[in-house]
Amino acid sequence: MPQRKVKPLIAGNWKMNGLRNAAKELRRMAAQCAKSPKPKADVLVCPPVQLIWPLRETVKGSPIRLGAQDCHPKASGAHTGDVSAEMMADVGARAVIVGHSERRTDHGETSGLVRQKAEAVHGAGLTAIICLGETEAERDAGRTIRVIGKQLQDSVPADSKPQNTIIAYEPVWAIGTGRTPTLKDIEKAHKALRTRLVKRFGADGEKFRLLYGGSVKPGNATEILAIDNVNGALVGGASLKAADFIPIVQAAG
Ligand code: PEP
């Protein structure tokens, strides 16, 4: 399968956690990545935006790249309190997470807005990590594949490329709960997303990275990362400590 050639990515989403002293933990992560065996996966850490610039020195010379969380769809203007993808690129971010369920739920973000944000990320020359996933009620109603298929269609810009777009499948009910879908259910969801990407983008559809996110931990990372069409993980809580995050990085490959 061509998807096996996709290099995995382990991305950490620090959410609204981290002060300047977070450099200590990130330094630990960078040091552990430098040890043998070298990570076979690409590694991204997305701290709160104010830490990107100071932390760029901390990851210098390591395989860890820095990303950001969420952005405004415009590059600049009268939008008090917002931060643009261009600003994130300016301070050293390589990627921006958009469409996270915490944004969709807490801020009422629609897939249409998520698409505009992803377009802004592309416009800034960065990679958009576009999150999607069903709620527990949608899962219980047997609507998972339909829901995530529609989110994919509506959230992913038409001119997306595997080089600037990553899809993260994150069941809402699995985020921060310690619960995960069965391996079979993850496989089914990722296969459905892959099929839709190929239908929409042709051969390129095989090359988009599809990350799984939702309670990934050192204890379940190996089996999740071995699933067909799972090209890495988006990790929340377990990305805050090197002792949890690095074993997940090492499980990929
Ligand atoms: C997330 O918020 O993207 C996430 C996957 O969180 P957690 O790993 O804590 O479930």
Side-chain angles (χ1 to χ4, degrees), residues 13 15 97 100-102 131 170 174-179 212-217 234-239:
N13 174 13
K15 311 192 187 192
I97 298 168
H100 192 282
S101 70
E102 286 151 17
C131 303
E170 300 204 303
I175 294 177
T177 60
R179 298 162 61 205
Y212 168 77
S215 297
V216 176
K217 308 270 181 253
L234 181 55
V235 185
S239 70

Side-chain angles (χ1 to χ4, degrees), residues 216-233:
V216 176
K217 308 270 181 253
N220 61 18
T222 303
E223 56 185 15
I224 290 174
L225 292 168
I227 298 171
D228 228 19
N229 283 305
V230 172
N231 311 116

Side-chain angles (χ1 to χ4, degrees), residues 1-23:
M1 286 283 287
Q3 60 92 11
R4 289 192 199 286
K5 296 200 186 96
V6 178
K7 188 175 182 190
L9 169 72
I10 305 299
N13 174 13
W14 283 9
K15 311 192 187 192
M16 200 172 69
N17 296 295
L19 301 173
R20 279 180 299 159
N21 64 10

Side-chain angles (χ1 to χ4, degrees), residues 80-102:
T80 303
D82 281 314
V83 182
S84 72
E86 249 180 50
M87 292 166 176
M88 290 161 175
D90 189 48
V91 293
R94 305 289 187 93
V96 185
I97 298 168
V98 294
H100 192 282
S101 70
E102 286 151 17

Side-chain angles (χ1 to χ4, degrees), residues 38-166:
K38 293 264 163 54
K40 294 204 177 79
D42 286 335
V43 187
L44 181 78
V45 170
C46 302
V49 69
Q50 90 286 359
L51 289 179
I52 297 173
W53 181 252
L55 291 183
R56 79 201 187 289
E57 281 302 321
T58 313
V59 297
K60 210 170 176 178
S62 93
I64 300 177
R65 300 288 172 261
L66 295 174
Q69 309 164 32
D70 193 51
C71 64
H72 192 275
K74 296 257 166 58
S76 63
H79 304 287
T80 303
D82 281 314
V83 182
S84 72
E86 249 180 50
M87 292 166 176
M88 290 161 175
D90 189 48
V91 293
R94 305 289 187 93
V96 185
I97 298 168
V98 294
H100 192 282
S101 70
E102 286 151 17
R103 300 293 313 177
R104 291 181 188 260
T105 306
D106 300 351
H107 300 269
E109 293 193 3
T110 61
S111 290
L113 178 60
V114 173
R115 191 189 63 246
Q116 288 175 34
K117 290 184 176 201
E119 284 165 356
V121 174
H122 294 164
L126 303 181
T127 296
I129 301 178
I130 303 173
C131 303
L132 43 85
E134 82 286 0
T135 62
E136 187 155 28
E138 288 164 341
R139 179 189 72 141
D140 291 347
R143 298 182 56 226
T144 297
I145 301 300
R146 220 171 330 143
V147 166
I148 64 176
K150 175 96 174 99
Q151 287 176 332
L152 185 80
Q153 179 61 34
D154 296 347
S155 307
V156 176
D159 60 353
S160 297
K161 300 190 171 28
Q163 296 80 7
N164 67 10
T165 306
I166 293 168

